[in-house]
Amino acid sequence: MDDTQHGLVGSSVSRREDDRLVRGGGSYIDDLSFADQGHMVLVRSPFAHATIGAVEVSQACSMPGVRSVLTAKEIETAGLRPLGCHTTIPGQRNVVRPIIAASRVRHIGEIVAAVIADTKSHARDAAEAVDVDYQELPVAADLNTGLHSSATPIHEPAPGNIGYTWQNGDAEAVASAFDSAASVASLTVENNRVIINPMETRGAIGLFDRNDGRFCLHAPTQGVHLIRNILAEEIFDVPLENIRVVTGDVGGAFGMKFQAYPELVLVLLGAKLTGRPVKWIADRTESFLCDVHGRAQSNTIELALDADGNFTGLRMDALADLGAYFTTFTTAVATVSGTRALGHTYRIPAIHVRVRGVFTNTPPVEAYRGAGKPEMVYALERLIEKVAAERRHDSIVLRRQNLIQSTDLPYENPLGEIIDSGDFQAVMDRALSRADWNGFANRRTFAVARGKLAGIGIGLHIHATGAFTDELTRIDVDGARRVVTVRTGTQTGGQGHETVFAQIVADRLDIPMEAIDIHQGDTAELETGAGTGGSSALPIAAVNMARAAVQLVDHGRTLASFALEASPADINYEAGFFCVTGTDRKIDLFALATQAADMTDLPDDVDNSLETGCVFTGPYTSYPNGCYVAEVEVDPETGHVDLLRLTTVDDIGTVINPVIAGGQIAGGVAQSLGQALLEHTVFEPETGQLQSGSLMDYCLPRADNFPHYEPEFRGIACKINPLGVKGAGELGCIGGLAPVVNAVINALTPLGVNHIDMPMTPERVWTAINRAGKPIRDSDPALR
């Protein structure tokens, strides 16, 4: 039954959730309110680095409507622990994040007090009356300053502001490869910090029941169980059952809502102290200042080659901006997560990487769509272009020569990743064909005639999926309602889970999708769950659902044997019916659930409920991969970049729903193109003030920034799971950076420009053109 499919898998079924959402039927955090709830407004530091003297709250406490004002004193009295890093790596410094700053603030926007009042206006007014005595300290607003500052470190346990130093790979083998290399190339690339900006800002509502001492938190998350576990075990020190976490609809997450933030703690503590629900909704300015940010790395990468152009060794020295604090997954992002993609689709016999995490006086940096892998893939793809240019080689030939071949699979790379499936050369060839790579020269000539510089760029990529594996799936059949309810520990943030999961379960049970009801986002309904991260919804959660469906049928066959008075071995399941082979006796799934509930004479080891639970086990890492080609035109007079053509070919294994998968790729690509061309996070060096702290100053991508394009899939089934699926959600972000940047540099190479760091804004491109100093009309025969 595991491999049986009935037509739903692979179909572009319309998203079931869309009708509800577009009609305003969604339930987001700000749609939720409780009787007599209080509203929380936070007093945040206006300084990036300062000591705190007195925090005077007496005037605020006496203002109309104020129910409570919380400071570090109330946190200490409540016995709450600080927030730590949920992941640990060797060499990690013992740095924690206070719920409310007590003696020192380390980034602008850090919480120094929380005001809870009858209305948000009352809370705002009282927050302005809180008087905090600050004494400013020297600021490290960027990696370079953080690494080389002679001032007092941002955290005492982290001398030199180094939060960790982590290494992986064989340093001796790499040194040998470089010693014997015919040529060596190196490049330092900046992976610019981005502010994630989901459509829905963060928010939370806390409740406390004084009768049983239990909390309930409503918040948009990426996994209610992880947040519950952190709050209960690491902060409040209470049994897990004393904290319920509920998540409704989520308006985008991308990694930044998989975090335990101080605000979640404060609404719960506020609810306990005031005896009333407490609601907090971030405004967009708070989101800019206080959400975790993404990327923010500076990576020096070196490649060794033999005389024939074969890659023989790869070395990377990476600097990761941590921001002011470790947060939930900080230490894993640039290390055990990101470096899984280092080397990606290429045969490189020896690899070594060193990563140093550096504290700065900026908002914390965390996992953002791709979780460190876009940085690794981008660096190598940019270096390959440099190698080709320096050796005067065709970059396509150089790539093809060094690709892992399908005959090499399964392939274990030097960092221990075992790639089970794929055909990287075929994917690249298909992308080149669709992009009409060989016809670009003619298009460049036409661009020149219009006074533009045309460029084309390519990039290959791979992801190593997987996050948490403690996924539980429960499936039960309600005969009266004729509904199959599937409970999962994942959490949708707009990806289409409600549709795709229903497709898979309906396909396995051979019943209509309309009979499937997907439940997510409530710790009271499911004991444990893995959440949504690492593109694991399909390779972990969906695989587990398919297995649970098979278990349900197996259990149903046992119950049907009693209902139909036949041996289980003689009962088949087809089209939603249990049938006795060779007869016309049968009973459908829902009728069996109703009849079984009344069975009182079953053996002790047979449960009369038609339900099952399945805990995920087994391998979970899939390796989705792809190749993208971008084509641009650059206006040499202004530096403006137009993205004219984009071609994507991805191998995501078995494609459950092509339209939804295409949307996932397109969304990730859009975010990567925003980072490559537009999104520029700027802090004032002396003060750490965020100068791009609003949508007036921070440029997010819009629809008119991109050409229309059609994602294409070359599905090569994953060999480690029965569905053959590979995770798709982060692939566009991982693959989208390099081809765009390579295309721009390709356009500017005739002028003597061989590298520009992201974002490639018009100002940066124009400056690079003019600094190169090569007359445009003399730079290329095509321009004369």
Side-chain angles (χ1 to χ4, degrees):
M1 175 105 190
D2 233 18
D3 298 320
T4 302
Q5 295 184 355
H6 304 283
L8 284 172
V9 168
S11 299
S12 291
V13 177
S14 297
R15 285 171 38 119
R16 301 198 312 173
E17 48 269 73
D18 285 354
D19 184 70
R20 171 175 60 87
L21 295 175
V22 300
R23 293 175 184 271
S27 180
Y28 298 92
I29 186 62
D30 204 18
D31 295 322
L32 192 62
S33 291
F34 291 86
D36 200 25
Q37 69 186 10
H39 294 264
M40 184 173 76
V41 169
L42 300 163
V43 180
R44 299 185 182 273
S45 170
F47 301 107
H49 201 193
T51 58
I52 298 175
V55 179
E56 179 54 57
V57 301
S58 57
Q59 182 180 350
C61 290
S62 65
M63 294 181 69
V66 173
R67 298 179 181 182
S68 183
V69 179
L70 309 181
T71 66
K73 180 180 178 181
E74 281 68 37
I75 300 298
E76 181 180 6
T77 300
L80 303 188
R81 300 167 180 166
L83 288 160
C85 191
H86 194 68
T87 54
T88 58
I89 59 172
Q92 178 176 324
R93 300 295 186 178
N94 184 25
V95 171
V96 294
R97 183 184 191 184
I99 307 300
I100 294 180
S103 60
R104 191 171 171 185
V105 290
R106 294 174 171 87
H107 70 89
I108 287 174
E110 186 165 0
I111 300 169
V112 295
V115 177
I116 300 167
D118 294 342
T119 68
K120 197 166 186 177
S121 295
H122 283 140
R124 281 196 184 114
D125 290 344
E128 292 179 1
V130 175
D131 186 20
V132 183
D133 178 23
Y134 297 101
Q135 294 294 322
E136 291 188 70
L137 296 170
V139 170
D142 55 55
L143 269 172
N144 185 60
T145 308
L147 192 61
H148 299 107
S149 174
S150 59
T152 302
I154 295 170
H155 297 280
E156 295 303 328
N161 294 324
I162 299 295
Y164 63 77
T165 299
W166 179 89
Q167 300 185 62
N168 194 19
D170 189 334
E172 291 185 5
V174 169
S176 176
F178 275 80
D179 288 343
S180 60
S183 62
V184 171
S186 66
L187 182 67
T188 297
V189 295
E190 306 296 322
N191 216 282
N192 47 314
R193 178 188 287 245
V194 294
I195 300 172
I196 298 166
N197 274 306
M199 290 182 67
E200 177 198 35
T201 62
R202 288 189 297 118
I205 301 175
L207 300 95
F208 181 74
D209 189 329
R210 288 182 172 174
N211 295 319
D212 60 15
R214 295 188 176 188
F215 295 95
C216 181
L217 173 70
H218 293 264
T221 74
Q222 289 178 238
V224 291
H225 295 92
L226 175 69
I227 301 302
R228 177 202 61 185
N229 296 351
I230 292 174
L231 292 172
E233 297 175 340
E234 301 178 21
I235 309 298
F236 284 91
D237 192 22
V238 298
L240 292 179
E241 59 267 24
N242 280 21
I243 297 183
R244 178 188 180 191
V245 179
V246 181
T247 293
D249 290 310
V250 178
F254 313 113
M256 54 77 65
K257 288 179 181 173
F258 216 166
Q259 315 296 321
Y261 288 92
E263 294 89 348
L264 305 184
V265 179
L266 291 172
V267 294
L268 293 178
L269 179 60
K272 182 177 181 179
L273 295 180
T274 63
R276 298 290 186 273
V278 173
K279 182 174 183 176
W280 168 76
I281 302 294
D283 60 31
R284 187 59 65 178
T285 298
E286 281 185 293
S287 293
F288 270 89
L289 289 173
C290 307
D291 291 352
V292 294
H293 293 177
R295 309 297 184 240
Q297 292 184 24
S298 178
N299 298 329
T300 298
I301 186 168
E302 300 173 275
L303 188 63
L305 299 92
D306 66 18
D308 296 323
N310 298 308
F311 302 161
T312 60
L314 175 65
R315 182 161 53 204
M316 176 179 278
D317 191 16
L319 292 173
D321 190 339
L322 303 173
Y325 293 104
F326 289 144
T327 47
T328 307
F329 306 115
T330 305
T331 57
V333 174
T335 57
V336 295
S337 174
T339 59
R340 298 183 72 193
L342 186 57
H344 56 286
T345 56
Y346 301 102
R347 289 190 313 268
I348 306 177
I351 300 177
H352 181 261
V353 56
R354 179 180 74 158
V355 186
R356 287 174 290 168
V358 182
F359 288 112
T360 59
N361 294 119
T362 61
V365 179
E366 253 288 357
Y368 167 50
R369 201 170 189 172
K373 299 174 188 72
E375 296 92 314
M376 300 294 117
V377 168
Y378 170 73
L380 180 53
E381 288 295 319
R382 284 291 301 122
L383 181 56
I384 289 172
E385 287 295 311
K386 182 181 181 185
V387 169
E390 291 177 347
R391 295 172 62 102
R392 298 185 180 277
H393 279 189
D394 184 324
S395 71
I396 302 300
V397 174
L398 184 63
R399 284 181 169 87
R400 184 175 286 117
Q401 172 181 342
N402 285 282
L403 282 175
I404 299 166
Q405 300 300 306
S406 57
T407 54
D408 297 331
L409 302 176
Y411 176 84
E412 182 172 2
N413 75 13
L415 298 182
E417 298 295 325
I418 302 174
I419 302 170
D420 66 291
S421 58
D423 191 338
F424 309 128
Q425 181 166 309
V427 167
M428 182 177 75
D429 289 344
R430 177 58 181 162
L432 293 171
S433 173
R434 288 190 68 212
D436 186 22
W437 182 275
N438 292 333
F440 170 70
N442 290 332
R443 296 192 295 278
R444 171 174 265 173
T445 300
F446 293 141
V448 168
R450 302 194 311 276
K452 300 294 181 68
L453 304 171
I456 193 168
I458 188 173
L460 285 90
H461 55 273
I462 203 168
H463 188 9
T465 68
F468 300 104
T469 59
D470 51 344
E471 173 64 11
L472 170 65
T473 302
R474 291 200 179 279
I475 302 180
D476 63 80
V477 182
D478 185 327
R481 295 172 54 230
R482 299 188 66 81
V483 168
V484 174
T485 299
V486 181
R487 292 177 172 84
T488 171
T490 59
Q491 180 60 53
T492 184
Q495 300 96 322
H497 287 186
E498 195 173 320
T499 302
V500 172
F501 291 165
Q503 280 183 260
I504 291 168
V505 176
D507 184 86
R508 286 302 186 265
L509 296 181
D510 205 3
I511 60 176
M513 273 184 65
E514 292 74 20
I516 307 296
D517 193 4
I518 305 295
H519 283 214
Q520 298 176 301
D522 191 343
T523 58
E525 288 200 5
L526 202 65
E527 304 93 298
T528 188
T532 296
S535 300
S536 62
L538 290 183
I540 294 177
V543 165
N544 208 47
M545 289 176 200
R547 290 170 176 163
V550 172
Q551 290 181 8
L552 184 77
V553 171
D554 288 342
H555 179 50
R557 186 176 288 109
T558 299
L559 291 175
S561 72
F562 292 95
L564 299 174
E565 298 179 342
S567 168
D570 293 331
I571 294 178
N572 292 325
Y573 180 77
E574 185 177 356
F577 283 85
F578 293 94
C579 310
V580 180
T581 304
T583 75
D584 60 357
R585 286 185 294 152
K586 61 183 180 180
I587 184 170
D588 87 347
L589 183 70
F590 301 103
L592 177 62
T594 300
Q595 185 172 332
D598 297 327
M599 293 179 182
T600 58
D601 55 350
L602 295 174
D604 291 342
D605 62 346
V606 178
D607 190 335
N608 69 344
S609 299
L610 190 48
E611 61 184 34
T612 189
C614 184
V615 176
F616 181 84
T617 58
Y620 59 87
T621 298
S622 66
Y623 295 91
N625 59 87
C627 180
Y628 297 167
V629 177
E631 194 168 321
V632 303
E633 285 185 356
V634 179
D635 186 336
E637 300 299 326
T638 66
H640 179 77
V641 176
D642 275 324
L643 178 62
L644 299 183
R645 296 165 61 127
L646 181 66
T647 303
T648 68
V649 178
D650 286 291
D651 167 17
I652 60 170
T654 301
V655 183
I656 305 297
N657 186 312
V659 168
I660 290 179
Q664 285 295 290
I665 297 298
V669 167
Q671 287 176 302
S672 69
L673 299 184
Q675 181 185 358
L677 297 175
L678 303 168
E679 300 183 47
H680 196 191
T681 306
V682 181
F683 294 96
E684 187 176 51
E686 295 79 13
T687 66
Q689 293 287 337
L690 180 60
Q691 296 181 312
S692 54
S694 76
L695 293 175
M696 294 291 291
D697 307 296
Y698 186 88
C699 186
L700 288 175
R702 300 180 302 274
D704 61 359
N705 293 124
F706 311 114
H708 175 75
Y709 81 101
E710 296 291 339
E712 182 173 302
F713 298 108
R714 183 180 177 87
I716 299 173
C718 179
K719 295 181 179 179
I720 66 160
N721 67 66
L723 292 179
V725 293
K726 304 174 185 179
E730 295 167 289
L731 205 54
C733 251
I734 293 170
L737 298 174
V740 176
V741 175
N742 285 341
V744 174
I745 297 304
N746 178 257
L748 301 182
T749 295
L751 306 182
V753 177
N754 56 30
H755 184 68
I756 303 173
D757 276 317
M758 300 183 294
M760 305 184 83
T761 60
E763 179 187 13
R764 285 190 172 186
V765 173
W766 182 88
T767 299
I769 290 171
N770 284 272
R771 281 180 178 171
K774 197 169 184 180
I776 294 174
R777 288 286 165 183
D778 297 335
S779 61
D780 191 316
L783 301 178
R784 294 174 189 165

